Amino acid sequence: EAVLYTPTPTVVVSRNTNTDTPLPPEEPAGTNPPDGAILYYYLPKNADVVKLEILDSTGMTIRTYSSQDRIPPIDPQAITVQPQWARPPQPLSAKAGSHRFMWDMHEAGASGRGGLPMTAIWGNTPYLPVGPMVKPGDFTVRLTVDGKTLEQPLKLLPDPRKAGS
């Protein structure tokens, strides 16, 4: 039977607020923790369809992922930096085994010009645009595997470095 593990509380932080040119990839630097809520699930066998939904405190779905989503390739003509700055696509897996998925804490509804921002991190920069970042609060993670639904609560905490967040 499929399992959706209870996610740990996650702090809502901006991924990078550096406004200067990013460090070159050969510059030694540490790796920050993932910039999102980490969700773990287990599938005992391959599934036909896996769907992951994030619901807000009112029960409204604000983000949906599916194992059937097509991951669009990055168009190197649409960016002004090397494609290696981009974060590799993260498809939702329907294969048997344990899986880790990172929700970037953004709602659906991205609009605007695509590309990679100046606040880049080598090999880990989300391709823009992204939807609006959610506010801290209580959410529900819903995983549907071949029609069977599992839910777990997710608490997003305010950034303690910001007053009034």
Side-chain angles (χ1 to χ4, degrees):
E1 178 170 318
V3 177
L4 173 62
Y5 296 97
T6 304
T8 58
T10 303
V11 177
V12 177
V13 294
S14 299
R15 60 169 284 285
N16 185 353
T17 57
N18 181 19
T19 58
D20 203 358
T21 304
L23 294 174
E26 63 274 4
E27 183 77 26
T31 302
N32 287 325
D35 55 346
I38 304 301
L39 310 173
Y40 292 96
Y41 64 99
Y42 169 77
L43 303 176
K45 61 183 181 175
N46 290 346
D48 291 326
V49 180
V50 175
K51 184 166 99 174
L52 180 71
E53 298 169 276
I54 309 296
L55 291 76
D56 66 13
S57 61
T58 68
M60 183 165 63
T61 301
I62 59 169
R63 195 72 187 260
T64 302
Y65 302 91
S66 170
S67 58
Q68 296 180 323
D69 289 345
R70 238 177 50 83
I71 306 292
I74 292 177
D75 177 6
Q77 302 301 318
I79 57 177
T80 59
V81 296
Q82 295 172 302
Q84 291 85 352
W85 284 93
R87 177 180 288 159
Q90 177 187 267
L92 190 66
S93 181
K95 295 194 182 307
S98 295
H99 301 284
R100 174 182 165 171
F101 186 84
M102 185 192 73
W103 171 45
D104 65 4
M105 298 183 295
H106 286 86
E107 297 179 21
S111 63
R113 200 174 127 225
L116 296 170
M118 178 181 257
T119 57
I121 300 167
W122 183 259
N124 198 17
T125 305
Y127 190 71
L128 297 179
V130 294
M133 184 171 252
V134 298
K135 296 196 180 321
D138 294 319
F139 294 81
T140 300
V141 178
R142 179 183 292 158
L143 182 74
T144 305
V145 180
D146 292 338
K148 182 174 189 233
T149 300
L150 306 164
E151 290 186 350
Q152 290 288 354
L154 170 62
K155 182 173 263 328
L156 297 183
L157 306 169
D159 186 341
R161 303 169 301 169
K162 294 182 178 178
S165 63

